[in-house]
Amino acid sequence: MKEWARLQLDVVFIQEHHISGLVHEMELGLSRRGWKAFWAFNNVGGGSSSGSSTSGVLIVVKRNLVTSGALKIAENSLKIWGPDDGRCLSINADWRGHKLQLASIYMPNDAASQKIFIESRLAPMKTAAGQRLTLWGGDFNFVHNPNLDRLSKRAAVPGEVPGMYRPTETEHTVGKFWCDQLPSVSDIWRHRHPTGRMMTHFGGRSAARLDRFYIGDDGTAYAGVNSRIQRPRRENGSFLSDHCPVVMELAQKIIEGDRGASFAPRLRMYFASENDLVTEFITWLASKKAHMPINYKARLKWWRRLKRDISRKVFRLNGIQRARQRAPVAVLREELEELYTFIEGSDPLAAATSLAALPEARQAVAAAEEALEEVFQLKQKRDWIHNHERPTRALTGQLNPKKHQGVSALRAANGEIVGTSIGCARVVTTHCAAVSAKPTTTNAAQNLVLDAMERQVHRAKALGLWFEEFTGEVSVDWQEMKNRVAGKLAKISRLNLSCFGRAFSVNSYALGTFLYHAEFAGLQQDNELEKWIAAVVDRSQGPPPGRGFAGVAAVNLVGHPKEGAFGLMPLAEHVKARAARWPLRLVTEDLACPTPWVRVARALVQRALAGTQTKYDKRLFMLSPPRGEAAGYPHNYPKLVRKILQAVATLPVATVLDESEWQPGPWCHVMPLWGNPMLQSDTGKGGYEFSEAGCYFRECPWQTLGELLKARTQIQQWSQQEWQQHGSTFATYIGYYGLGTQRGDALEKIEEFLNYLNKPAWILAAEAAESALVLAGQPLPDQAAVVDKLCKSIGWKVGNRSYTPENLTVKIATTLVTQPPYPKAPLHPNWLHPRSRKFRDFALQIGGGLSKDKHQAEDL
């Protein structure tokens, strides 16, 4: 792993790892060292070319690439090709515009087996890749061109100098078979070096380039291979392996509108304060740009070299600028040394003159050194913002010391004392398996235990949260939490950290102790705690802080350093974001989601929503809750539903990310009217309000555009007697009291509402769908499918990136809560006029009859 760090590797393909199972993998500890491993073990024997049965292949990925989202591993994409002999493993991944099929391959070493391997494993794997870019690496145990890729030592021939000789053959039978079966997969090193020579495997009597990377032809422009990698050695000087590592670099795919990775390295150009150095740098860049190749592939290679040259140029210019800053101090020190020389000399007059000038010279040196130190401290503080004083293992050891030590040993069932961590884990696993294998107890015994618990347990505590019996209320002892935070703050104040370091430490080690509890029990407003946090971050005073002047106001401490703040977490907004993140996942998660907590939580919410009086789809009801004046949810709603609505309402209103996918069509007939992000009110407060026309549409039974159009048609076709029978109910549905028997007024209000929607193309498409599909006897589009598509296509835009409820993270949600751009709000008819609820049970008789029950939305 030291070699991986030296080579700065992000993804590693390994062959012949000689690990026989996951137990040995735990001893290797890849996960503890920041790597995510995908294993293929040899479970059939006879795996390696040396006859060993412990060969296998492995793909290792840096964990921070996965957790940061820079590299996305496709779910359930790991596949072992062919028999379970640990020779071929692939995963699918997405990185910076590339959709990749990554594969680690270890081929047999005889030609017949190699051809079978190519035909039965590699060719199907290439087919399965589809549109993905194939990126294969491994030990292939053959070469395409023996003359270029192989050396061998042969017996001495008379008249010939002994040594290593190159075969005369320029084509190998397996190589030819490879090209026939896999014509669109290229050896990237040979592609870059058509006549070059490099050996990666060194045996006793031969050397060959057996270790290679293959890439699809459409990816060769993005790939490059280092041709000078030395064999790694142990500390005693011996070689670590008979194979040499091969390193390939993959450039990101250029995407239109993409500004690049957020984790790109930062160049600190301290020389920017010197105008002549800036001019030199600009001139140098212009000269480099003048020699930029026209060919795209050549330009890609030129760009990689240019980045390296820029780093070196900046480093050299920074050195010049540093030398210039130190030059005045060096001159003053030389003058001071010269005065000391005259004082210690034999000339009395020069000694007296130098002694008189000595105090001023020493003061000048001290002032210059102080100014120089101030400049260097400013640079160091800027470095702290970007590189240092982040939560580390050492900092964790000081702030979170281990309270419990692991057990020294366990006694196994056979009486053996086990002292290793792996052995103790096996003892516990064996014991639990034995307990699980025992038959269950009788129902009578279980009921006795449950009755005893019911009589004795009235409150239960789990993970620091108290759960009340019957009510299900969640509470937390905030004084206990506050005391724990105070202890952490006191430790942080005693560490030698900068203001930025204290802010990061407060986020990770102090506030992190109760974020989980605040997410479920709510955040209690505490001015004293806020003062403690501000005192620690601002002036490193532990609680309770003494008297002193505040250097920076508490409000200016909150925010990221790149925004001008000091890195302190926006606590209230972060808690709201955590509370809003999980309901969104609960609503948008696939119905067949195997995650246990999602299925349990969905069942609880489904039960709570069963008594919720809302007529439109309940997923839209939860994804687009009303805001502002409409956010006073009815008290008859279950507390769980109110809590979810309040949490989601803290986020900005979700909008449709790509409206080009919603071209008018038959789906317009079943498009929901209420809670639809594509239909929004001008008030921005949630709830549809159309007071200018006196039309509210509060408790109407029309839930889709098609139903509203059908109602309009029905009103136009009613006789005067039918209108007198149903007119008052119609007036109530549109929230227009005192309408009487004026049918024209009702039609006018419906037209005004349709004009307000400002979707004429939708209206025409909905009318056409009913006439074309219904009259032809064909069913209308499935409303559930339309709503499901709508739920998956809404989200938020932050910068140039889009986030749906499924991939919204707490970090992005915190940003949305902190700076919420509130657009128009979806229409919500049920929160505007309490009087209209008394007409809830009325039904409008249209066609076969539209009852309230018919318009109840489906459960989640």
Side-chain angles (χ1 to χ4, degrees):
M1 294 183 192
K2 293 181 180 179
E3 186 70 10
W4 300 353
R6 184 183 69 82
L7 296 175
Q8 299 180 351
L9 304 181
D10 295 319
V11 180
V12 184
F13 295 163
I14 299 176
Q15 298 78 42
E16 290 191 275
H17 54 63
H18 297 276
I19 304 295
S20 59
L22 288 176
V23 173
H24 294 88
E25 186 273 334
M26 293 172 63
E27 296 176 351
L28 186 61
L30 286 172
S31 60
R32 295 196 307 272
R33 292 173 169 85
W35 296 87
K36 184 176 180 62
F38 301 90
W39 295 86
F41 302 105
N42 181 9
N43 297 319
V44 298
S48 70
S49 57
S50 60
S52 172
S53 62
T54 57
S55 63
V57 294
L58 168 66
I59 299 177
V60 187
V61 181
K62 267 191 176 179
R63 185 174 295 276
N64 61 356
L65 286 180
V66 180
T67 55
S68 65
L71 182 72
K72 298 180 180 179
I73 306 296
E75 189 175 359
N76 299 325
S77 65
L78 187 147
K79 184 173 178 59
I80 297 175
W81 297 87
D84 194 8
D85 56 359
R87 286 190 176 275
C88 189
L89 167 71
S90 73
I91 58 174
N92 294 336
D94 297 343
W95 177 80
R96 299 302 297 156
H98 292 291
K99 293 186 176 296
L100 304 171
Q101 182 196 58
L102 305 177
S104 180
I105 300 170
Y106 176 53
M107 288 184 60
N109 60 351
D110 61 281
S113 301
Q114 289 171 351
K115 292 182 179 180
I116 296 174
F117 190 94
I118 294 172
E119 185 177 13
S120 62
R121 305 195 199 188
L122 300 187
M125 185 168 66
K126 178 65 177 70
T127 303
Q131 299 298 320
R132 289 187 172 272
L133 176 64
T134 54
L135 180 53
W136 301 347
D139 180 358
F140 293 89
N141 276 320
F142 78 94
V143 295
H144 289 273
N145 188 335
N147 179 257
L148 294 177
D149 295 330
R150 187 178 292 278
L151 288 172
S152 61
K153 182 181 293 185
R154 61 189 181 191
V157 178
E160 198 174 68
V161 180
M164 303 295 287
Y165 289 88
R166 302 186 183 279
T168 57
E169 299 88 352
T170 59
E171 188 177 31
H172 193 272
T173 57
V174 178
K176 187 176 183 304
F177 186 78
W178 175 288
C179 295
D180 294 338
Q181 294 289 321
L182 303 167
S184 60
V185 181
S186 301
D187 175 1
I188 186 59
W189 194 91
R190 181 56 63 202
H191 179 80
R192 296 292 185 199
H193 310 87
T195 59
R197 290 186 170 94
M198 182 183 72
M199 303 301 150
T200 65
H201 174 263
F202 301 89
R205 300 182 59 84
S206 65
R209 192 172 66 87
L210 303 180
D211 307 277
R212 302 185 290 275
F213 278 104
Y214 287 92
I215 194 169
D217 290 343
D218 51 349
T220 54
Y222 300 95
V225 180
N226 195 328
S227 60
R228 292 293 180 267
I229 301 293
Q230 296 181 353
R231 290 172 65 187
R233 293 177 179 269
R234 296 185 176 91
E235 294 181 358
N236 59 6
S238 62
F239 288 113
L240 188 63
S241 171
D242 56 351
H243 288 266
C244 179
V246 180
V247 179
M248 191 199 84
E249 295 181 358
L250 184 67
Q252 66 181 22
K253 197 171 185 179
I254 300 175
I255 304 173
E256 185 177 357
D258 194 353
R259 297 182 181 179
S262 59
F263 48 82
R266 180 187 297 271
L267 285 176
R268 295 174 179 82
M269 295 186 288
Y270 298 123
F271 67 87
S273 59
E274 305 288 339
N275 293 332
D276 60 329
L277 297 181
V278 173
T279 303
E280 179 184 347
F281 184 68
I282 294 175
T283 305
W284 178 82
L285 279 180
S287 64
K288 287 290 185 180
K289 184 179 179 182
H291 295 85
M292 180 176 64
I294 300 177
N295 180 269
Y296 177 74
K297 294 182 179 180
R299 185 184 301 176
L300 191 64
K301 295 175 63 177
W302 169 85
W303 170 243
R304 286 199 294 267
R305 291 194 301 268
L306 179 62
K307 288 193 294 183
R308 182 177 64 250
D309 294 342
I310 289 176
S311 299
R312 294 173 178 172
K313 184 69 173 180
V314 169
F315 180 79
R316 190 182 69 82
L317 294 177
N318 285 340
I320 297 174
Q321 189 261 353
R322 255 190 326 268
R324 290 182 180 182
Q325 286 180 329
R326 292 170 177 167
V329 178
V331 171
L332 292 174
R333 285 176 179 170
E334 289 179 0
E335 294 176 355
L336 183 61
E337 290 295 331
E338 187 177 356
L339 291 177
Y340 280 119
T341 302
F342 285 129
I343 291 173
E344 297 173 356
S346 59
D347 188 351
L349 180 60
T353 305
S354 301
L355 189 61
L358 183 62
E360 184 178 354
R362 293 179 62 180
Q363 186 177 1
V365 171
E369 289 179 343
E370 183 178 357
L372 184 62
E373 180 65 22
E374 183 178 353
V375 172
F376 287 157
Q377 284 187 3
L378 179 60
K379 289 182 179 180
Q380 187 179 24
K381 289 176 181 179
R382 288 175 178 172
D383 290 344
W384 280 338
I385 296 176
H386 303 296
N387 280 343
H388 306 293
E389 296 195 332
R390 297 285 183 172
T392 61
R393 183 175 299 180
L395 194 58
T396 302
Q398 296 181 64
L399 297 177
N400 289 339
K402 293 183 178 180
K403 297 181 180 179
H404 304 286
Q405 298 295 331
V407 295
S408 57
L410 286 178
R411 187 186 299 275
N414 58 1
E416 179 185 358
I417 302 298
V418 180
T420 64
S421 58
I422 299 298
C424 291
R426 288 174 178 167
V427 171
V428 174
T429 303
T430 304
H431 175 75
C432 293
V435 173
S436 301
K438 293 182 179 180
T440 57
T441 59
T442 62
N443 292 333
Q446 293 177 0
N447 290 330
L448 288 175
V449 174
L450 294 177
D451 291 341
M453 293 177 62
E454 184 177 359
R455 289 193 301 270
Q456 298 176 8
V457 178
H458 301 283
R459 298 180 71 200
K461 186 176 183 180
L463 299 177
L465 295 171
W466 286 100
F467 296 87
E468 302 290 338
E469 186 184 16
F470 302 119
T471 63
E473 295 286 341
V474 181
S475 60
V476 64
D477 187 347
W478 282 111
Q479 188 58 43
E480 179 185 352
M481 293 289 107
K482 188 175 177 180
N483 294 337
R484 291 171 58 184
V485 173
K488 299 291 184 183
L489 293 177
K491 291 181 179 179
I492 293 172
S493 66
R494 293 192 292 267
L495 296 177
N496 185 24
L497 298 173
S498 69
C499 182
F500 301 102
R502 292 194 296 271
F504 295 140
S505 299
V506 168
N507 295 339
S508 303
Y509 301 104
L511 301 183
T513 58
F514 65 84
L515 289 178
Y516 172 82
H517 309 85
E519 179 181 352
F520 294 97
L523 181 63
Q524 185 178 10
Q525 188 69 22
D526 194 319
N527 294 330
E528 185 180 25
L529 180 60
E530 294 178 0
K531 293 180 180 178
W532 290 357
I533 294 173
V536 169
V537 176
D538 178 33
R539 52 188 184 273
S540 191
Q541 288 187 358
R547 300 179 62 182
F549 293 101
V552 181
V555 67
N556 295 328
L557 297 174
V558 178
H560 199 278
K562 68 181 180 183
E563 300 170 352
F566 285 81
L568 190 62
M569 176 191 302
L571 181 59
E573 290 80 2
H574 184 77
V575 172
K576 292 178 182 178
R578 289 171 65 101
R581 168 66 183 91
W582 299 116
L584 291 175
R585 180 180 174 186
L586 179 65
V587 174
T588 57
E589 192 76 51
D590 187 9
L591 294 177
C593 175
T595 307
W597 78 263
V598 173
R599 305 186 69 164
V600 173
R602 182 178 282 118
L604 293 175
V605 175
Q606 177 180 347
R607 181 178 178 182
L609 284 174
T612 303
Q613 296 178 345
T614 177
K615 296 183 177 181
Y616 49 91
D617 189 275
K618 293 177 182 176
R619 283 178 294 176
L620 294 178
F621 174 68
M622 296 176 68
L623 287 175
S624 302
R627 292 163 171 81
E629 296 176 359
Y633 307 108
H635 293 290
N636 60 347
Y637 278 21
K639 184 175 181 179
L640 176 61
V641 175
R642 293 203 306 271
K643 185 174 181 179
I644 290 176
L645 295 176
Q646 291 168 355
V648 178
T650 59
L651 297 174
V653 178
T655 58
V656 176
L657 298 175
D658 187 5
E659 293 195 5
S660 62
E661 299 180 356
W662 296 89
Q663 298 299 325
W667 59 267
C668 295
H669 193 278
V670 295
M671 174 57 75
L673 288 174
W674 318 118
N676 188 343
M678 301 180 73
L679 301 176
Q680 300 169 338
S681 83
D682 286 325
T683 62
K685 300 177 182 179
Y688 171 60
E689 199 169 344
F690 199 38
S691 56
E692 294 180 0
C695 176
Y696 295 91
F697 282 78
R698 296 184 183 104
E699 290 297 324
C700 66
W702 312 311
Q703 304 305 309
T704 64
L705 181 59
E707 291 177 359
L708 180 60
L709 296 175
K710 189 175 181 180
R712 182 185 65 175
T713 303
Q714 190 68 39
I715 293 174
Q716 295 171 345
Q717 296 176 352
W718 266 343
S719 64
Q720 185 63 27
Q721 181 179 0
E722 290 174 324
W723 171 251
Q724 291 177 354
Q725 179 181 356
H726 303 296
S728 60
T729 303
F730 241 103
T732 301
Y733 285 146
I734 63 175
Y736 191 77
Y737 298 95
L739 186 63
T741 58
Q742 299 300 319
R743 185 191 334 210
D745 290 344
L747 292 174
E748 180 182 353
K749 303 308 175 187
I750 293 178
E751 290 298 332
E752 289 178 354
F753 178 69
L754 292 175
N755 292 334
Y756 176 80
L757 295 181
N758 195 24
K759 296 289 184 181
W762 285 23
I763 297 173
L764 294 176
E767 292 174 342
E770 184 171 1
S771 59
L773 299 178
V774 177
L775 296 181
Q778 299 179 6
L780 290 169
D782 184 16
Q783 183 178 359
V786 174
V787 173
D788 183 66
K789 179 182 177 182
L790 180 61
C791 291
K792 293 181 178 180
S793 62
I794 64 176
W796 302 265
K797 289 187 177 180
V798 179
N800 63 338
R801 297 191 178 185
S802 300
Y803 298 90
T804 63
E806 293 179 337
N807 63 13
L808 183 69
T809 62
V810 175
K811 180 180 179 180
I812 298 301
T814 304
T815 303
L816 293 173
V817 175
T818 306
Q819 300 174 347
Y822 284 105
K824 299 177 182 180
L827 310 182
H828 289 272
N830 289 350
W831 272 277
L832 288 174
H833 208 294
R835 288 186 300 165
S836 63
R837 296 196 184 101
K838 65 181 181 179
F839 298 99
R840 191 180 301 277
D841 296 331
F842 281 47
L844 179 62
Q845 304 298 326
I846 298 179
L850 295 177
S851 64
K852 172 198 168 188
D853 294 337
K854 182 178 180 180
H855 297 284
Q856 289 288 343
E858 296 294 332
D859 290 330
L860 291 176

